[in-house]
Amino acid sequence: MGRLKVGVLISGRGSNLQALLDACADPAFPAEIALVISNVAAAEGLDRAAKAGVATLAIDHKDFPDRESFDAKMDEALRAAGIELVCLAGFMRLLSTGFVEGWRGRMINIHPSLLPAFKGLHTHAQALAAGVAEHGCTVHWVTPALDDGPAILQGRVPVLAGDTVETLAARVLEAEHRLYPEALRLIARDSSLRSE
Ligand code: GAR
C-alpha cells in the first residue's frame, strides 16, 4: 500500500511543517507530503517545502472576493494533487463550513493548548493568566466550530515559575514538533483514509 498523500496548509514560519517534512523524509514513514499551500506568498514555510522537494502553491486570500471562493481554489488544488489528508500547520485563516465539511474526517489541526482549554489566539498568555500548572498542545480533527473537533493526541508541558509567554511558547512548540508527526503516523497507519 502507498503512503498517505498529505497536503499542508500554512501561513508563516512553518516549523510544524518542518517537523512533518522531517518525519516524511524517512521512507518507512506511512505518509508523504505532496503539496504545501500558503495564503501568504512570503511564508518561510514555502521555502522549507521547496528545499524538501515538495510542490508549493501560494494562494493569496486577498485576491478573492470572499472566504468561499478562496477556499474553493484551495480545495481544487488539493484534489488535483490527489491529497487524502489535509494538515493545518499554523494556517491562520478561518475556513468556510463548506470547505470543512468537504474534508470532514480528512483534515487535522495542531493547536497550542490542551483543548478544550484556551481556544483561539494568544493561548500562552491565556494559560499564564489562568495560572494553570500544565499547558501543551492538541492535534484534533477539524470540524466547523473553531478549535473544537475530537482530539487525536495531546502533548503536555509544565508551566514553570517565572515563565513568560516566550519561554512557555518555546516549550510548547518543542512538544508540537514531537506531537504532530506522531499523530500523522497514527492516522496514516489507518488504511481507510487511502483512496487506493
Ligand atoms: C503553532 O504554534 C501552531 O500550533 C499555531 O501556530 C503556530 C504556527 O507555527 N496554530 C494555531 O494557533 C492555530 N489555531 P509554525 O508556523 O512554526 O508551525
Side-chain angles (χ1 to χ4, degrees):
M1 192 188 302
R3 303 165 91 194
L4 186 72
K5 278 185 109 174
V6 173
V8 185
L9 307 189
I10 62 164
S11 295
R13 179 178 58 184
S15 70
N16 277 290
L17 165 66
Q18 187 68 60
L20 296 176
L21 288 167
D22 292 347
C24 292
D26 176 354
F29 194 80
E32 63 178 316
I33 299 175
L35 179 63
V36 174
I37 300 178
S38 173
N39 65 308
V40 177
E44 190 188 339
L46 288 177
D47 297 331
R48 295 177 187 268
K51 280 202 186 86
V54 171
T56 63
L57 197 56
I59 305 177
D60 188 341
H61 59 275
K62 296 199 273 331
D63 292 341
F64 295 82
D66 50 36
R67 198 176 295 286
E68 285 71 20
S69 52
F70 167 69
D71 288 0
K73 186 74 190 173
M74 289 199 300
D75 187 71
E76 187 188 309
L78 291 164
R79 293 188 193 281
I83 297 305
E84 296 165 301
L85 180 81
V86 175
C87 293
L88 306 179
F91 183 70
M92 304 311 272
R93 301 272 315 157
L94 291 174
L95 293 165
S96 58
T97 304
F99 183 88
V100 174
E101 291 294 356
W103 288 93
R104 197 187 261 271
R106 292 176 171 268
M107 180 157 58
I108 62 175
N109 179 46
I110 188 157
H111 181 77
S113 77
L114 295 171
L115 291 172
F118 315 133
K119 297 179 180 180
L121 297 174
H122 313 299
T123 57
H124 311 305
Q126 289 189 58
L128 289 175
V132 291
E134 231 184 7
H135 185 38
C137 48
T138 304
V139 176
H140 65 96
W141 294 104
V142 177
T143 57
L146 183 70
D147 302 330
D148 200 45
I152 299 160
L153 281 181
Q154 292 193 309
R156 296 173 179 276
V157 302
V159 179
L160 303 177
D163 259 341
T164 61
V165 165
E166 290 73 26
T167 59
L168 186 54
R171 196 173 307 121
V172 172
L173 193 63
E174 275 184 31
E176 291 185 47
H177 296 163
R178 289 191 298 272
L179 194 74
Y180 215 176
E182 194 46 42
L184 178 56
R185 181 198 301 276
L186 286 175
I187 292 166
R189 278 201 203 129
D190 174 359
S191 60
S192 67
L193 286 174
R194 289 202 188 81
S195 49
E196 337 170 45

